Amino acid sequence: MNKTLKGIIGGTVLLAAIGGGIVALKMTDPEKTEESSTVSEKTETPLWHVHSDDINKISVENPNGESYVAVRKMDKVKTTDADGNETEEEIANYVLEGYEDLPMDTVSIRLLATRSPELTSTDTVVEHASAEEMARFGLDEPVKVTFSVDKADDIVFLIGGEAPITSERYLCLEGQDTIYTVNDVSMDPFLESPYNYLGKTLKETQAEDDTTIVNSVRIERSDLDYDFYFEYDPFYSENSNGGSMALHVMKEPVYSLISGDKSSPATHGMYGLTANEIVKPHPTEADLKKYGLDEPFVTVTTKTDAKETFVFKLGDSYQTEDGSKYYYGMLEGIPCVYGFFEDSIIYDDLKPEDIISRNVFDTYVWDIGTLIYEADGKKLEFNGKGGKDDYVLKYNGKDQDEDGIERFRKLYTYVLQTKAEELVYDDPELPDKALAKITLKRQDGKRPVEVEFYDAGSMKAYIVINGETRFRCRKTYVDTLISNIEIFDDTDKEFTMTW
């Protein structure tokens, strides 16, 4: 009889006596009889008992699937004791042999050791089972599982087919001929593909205390004749004024401010990048060609101020059984092809119009040093200094009182509503004369801007910023702007704020 897998005598009494020790229990080989016997009364039998942390290796051999081995790795993790002191403790994690270079779902892998370190059968089905009976219960080609246990012999068990009783499965111990039923939840981890234990998070979400800056992002798509290029602009970090503007600007295909909320999946999509499926670990060159990753549909290159470069690629699309559209994808440095649900990524159908802020002016009113309006031969020139509580304003060289400052503020409030309704990708020929012109200089001298409006036909107007034609807006906006400029001096008339 095996020295560490002893017979059970008075099962519950013996288990109680074990206490904290590390013991492995197997059934004593039953007395051999010439014929097998089917047990009629339900009999629960303790099969083995070990501590999960003492399982140093789990081998799963699947004759109809992929076999794999999980090996224990003791990791040190920081924790806090009852007194609030930070300490370190060792925990047993498991990694799949041969997949160490890929992200792993360590929580799921631990189930291989923690789901059934001890097991009791729900019933004994057949004693002295013949080869035919083994086959009838799915044990002729079983999934074979081996627990390698510290300072104890291996525990080896064979998993058969599903039992007619709901949530039960057939099992026997290697080298024995008694067939048991066990709760299938205890066997489920061993019936999974090793892919189930690989991680789908390719890069963790950026932690709150991580000050790494994304310097630039370039998105190349084979279906477009232009790239998207975003660049970090420290000006917006220093001058946010509590707005929703991003800290990046779009420089290609058209220079534009971008919305912080709408653009973050494009500028920071590498952080928290998570796949939906594991497709092919360790792909060959032939695999990459098969999945369209040799000539990718999308290439995203992200560079950070920490001198890191991340390159993410999407290949061909495919459909899952439920009809959902996925893309094959890879993150450079991780040798695995993943599947990405189309709605979980932004790169495949991104349009500039989806993420631009549509704001043309972004200077806080009390930061204005010089503001000049010109339209229909009329010119309004303002010069200011100070902050919200002590702003000093001159209009056409004359000091302004509180009412004058408020009228200046209201007109600028209308200007802040200037919207980039359409992007202009080409370089259109402009009329000889602008409809209106606004020149703005900040008190700190940063970011001077000159915005001109030109008739674009079809009730539209071009918006030209610092000599570059970037957007179109409704001409009625410009008409209303001109009207507001004309009535500025008539304080009895209120500005029109809609168009």
Side-chain angles (χ1 to χ4, degrees):
M1 181 170 59
N2 187 301
K3 64 181 179 180
T4 58
L5 304 178
K6 299 180 179 180
I8 309 300
I9 302 174
T12 55
V13 175
L14 178 57
L15 285 175
I18 290 174
I22 302 169
V23 182
L25 302 174
K26 273 190 184 178
M27 294 298 300
T28 304
D29 290 344
E31 289 186 20
K32 299 292 182 182
T33 60
E34 294 186 3
E35 296 183 0
S36 66
S37 59
T38 300
V39 179
S40 58
E41 293 185 6
K42 198 158 186 151
T43 306
E44 294 184 0
T45 305
L47 301 177
W48 64 78
H49 175 92
V50 296
H51 289 286
S52 62
D53 284 356
D54 294 314
I55 299 174
N56 58 66
K57 184 167 70 173
I58 304 106
S59 302
V60 179
E61 301 173 52
N62 191 335
N64 301 307
E66 294 193 54
S67 301
Y68 53 94
V69 175
V71 180
R72 184 183 63 199
K73 184 182 72 166
M74 301 305 294
D75 289 329
K76 289 184 177 179
V77 297
K78 291 183 178 180
T79 185
T80 304
D81 63 20
D83 298 323
N85 301 312
E86 189 175 275
T87 61
E88 274 190 346
E89 70 173 305
E90 279 195 333
I91 63 168
N93 276 324
Y94 294 82
V95 296
L96 297 187
E97 282 189 346
Y99 296 92
E100 293 88 350
D101 53 352
L102 302 181
M104 293 191 196
D105 185 349
T106 55
V107 173
S108 293
I109 298 176
R110 275 182 59 81
L111 292 176
L112 294 168
T114 59
R115 182 62 64 83
S116 53
E118 56 182 300
L119 189 68
T120 297
S121 70
T122 58
D123 199 2
T124 300
V125 180
V126 180
E127 294 177 339
H128 315 303
S130 65
E132 291 77 12
E133 287 171 317
M134 286 287 191
R136 181 155 61 92
F137 294 109
L139 289 160
D140 55 335
E141 291 188 345
V143 173
K144 177 180 175 181
V145 180
T146 302
F147 286 163
S148 298
V149 184
D150 293 340
K151 300 178 182 179
D153 289 346
D154 291 350
I155 298 171
V156 185
F157 55 96
L158 311 177
I159 306 172
E162 292 181 276
I165 300 173
T166 304
S167 302
E168 292 191 356
R169 188 171 285 275
Y170 298 111
L171 176 143
C172 72
L173 298 170
E174 186 179 55
Q176 297 191 19
D177 55 8
T178 300
I179 300 174
Y180 306 96
T181 53
V182 295
N183 288 321
D184 61 6
V185 69
S186 61
M187 297 293 105
D188 285 346
F190 312 107
L191 304 177
E192 296 282 1
S193 160
Y195 291 8
N196 186 67
Y197 298 115
L198 297 180
K200 299 185 181 75
T201 298
L202 310 190
K203 184 165 178 58
E204 297 295 333
T205 301
Q206 192 168 15
E208 289 186 11
D209 59 351
D210 182 358
T211 59
T212 302
I213 294 171
V214 174
N215 277 341
S216 67
V217 178
R218 181 172 293 278
I219 302 172
E220 304 167 75
R221 271 217 331 253
S222 62
D223 64 331
L224 298 176
D225 57 5
Y226 59 81
D227 291 351
F228 293 88
Y229 184 67
F230 306 99
E231 194 171 85
Y232 174 73
D233 192 328
F235 174 83
Y236 294 104
S237 177
E238 299 164 5
N239 301 275
S240 65
N241 291 320
S244 61
M245 208 68 74
L247 302 183
H248 294 72
V249 295
M250 182 171 71
K251 291 197 148 184
E252 298 177 33
V254 175
Y255 184 96
S256 176
L257 307 178
I258 55 178
S259 162
D261 292 339
K262 294 178 181 177
S263 67
S264 60
T267 58
H268 290 73
M270 288 302 97
Y271 289 97
L273 180 66
T274 302
N276 301 93
E277 292 187 341
I278 309 292
V279 175
K280 181 67 177 179
H282 304 129
T284 63
E285 290 297 322
D287 291 326
L288 297 182
K289 186 173 183 179
K290 172 184 174 183
Y291 299 129
L293 288 160
D294 58 332
E295 296 181 0
F297 168 50
V298 175
T299 301
V300 183
T301 304
T302 300
K303 297 183 178 183
T304 75
D305 67 342
K307 309 300 182 185
E308 300 171 304
T309 299
F310 309 113
V311 180
F312 175 60
K313 297 178 181 180
L314 292 177
D316 294 340
S317 63
Y318 65 99
Q319 279 196 335
T320 55
E321 291 182 0
D322 63 0
S324 299
K325 183 178 179 181
Y326 280 60
Y327 287 94
Y328 299 111
M330 289 187 73
L331 181 63
E332 193 172 276
I334 299 178
C336 184
V337 179
Y338 298 89
F340 293 85
F341 179 43
E342 63 172 341
D343 288 349
S344 69
I345 48 176
I346 194 174
Y347 311 113
D348 61 320
D349 59 356
L350 178 65
K351 297 186 288 293
E353 291 82 1
D354 295 338
I355 56 175
I356 62 173
S357 73
R358 303 190 182 276
N359 289 347
V360 175
F361 293 91
D362 61 348
T363 299
Y364 189 44
V365 62
W366 310 121
D367 290 335
I368 293 173
T370 299
L371 181 60
I372 302 171
Y373 299 94
E374 298 175 77
D376 281 350
K378 190 173 182 66
K379 182 177 181 180
L380 312 178
E381 182 171 346
F382 301 91
N383 299 98
K385 61 181 179 179
K388 179 179 180 181
D389 297 326
D390 60 354
Y391 197 73
V392 177
L393 180 70
K394 289 182 182 294
Y395 164 46
N396 288 345
K398 295 180 180 179
D399 292 335
Q400 298 295 294
D401 58 16
E402 288 186 7
D403 291 338
I405 294 174
E406 179 61 12
R407 193 152 178 84
F408 157 79
R409 186 195 66 79
K410 284 184 177 179
L411 179 56
Y412 186 66
T413 299
Y414 178 82
V415 170
L416 287 175
Q417 297 183 65
T418 307
K419 295 301 179 187
E421 297 180 54
E422 300 174 17
L423 290 171
V424 176
Y425 294 93
D426 54 4
D427 188 15
E429 186 175 344
L430 300 174
D432 294 335
K433 185 178 179 182
L435 299 171
K437 178 180 176 180
I438 301 174
T439 304
L440 189 154
K441 297 178 182 178
R442 294 169 52 91
Q443 293 182 52
D444 59 13
K446 297 178 180 178
R447 301 300 177 93
V449 63
E450 183 180 270
V451 178
E452 298 172 287
F453 300 90
Y454 288 85
D455 192 338
S458 302
M459 298 302 294
K460 299 290 180 68
Y462 290 118
I463 301 176
V464 179
I465 302 176
N466 294 337
E468 182 180 334
T469 306
R470 296 182 187 171
F471 311 110
R472 273 187 293 265
C473 68
R474 279 173 280 181
K475 188 170 179 291
T476 52
Y477 167 81
V478 185
D479 293 338
T480 303
L481 171 64
I482 294 170
S483 174
N484 285 338
I485 292 171
E486 289 175 344
I487 67 169
F488 183 83
D489 294 322
D490 190 346
T491 57
D492 291 332
K493 293 183 178 179
E494 293 293 329
F495 296 125
T496 302
M497 307 304 286
T498 59
W499 63 94

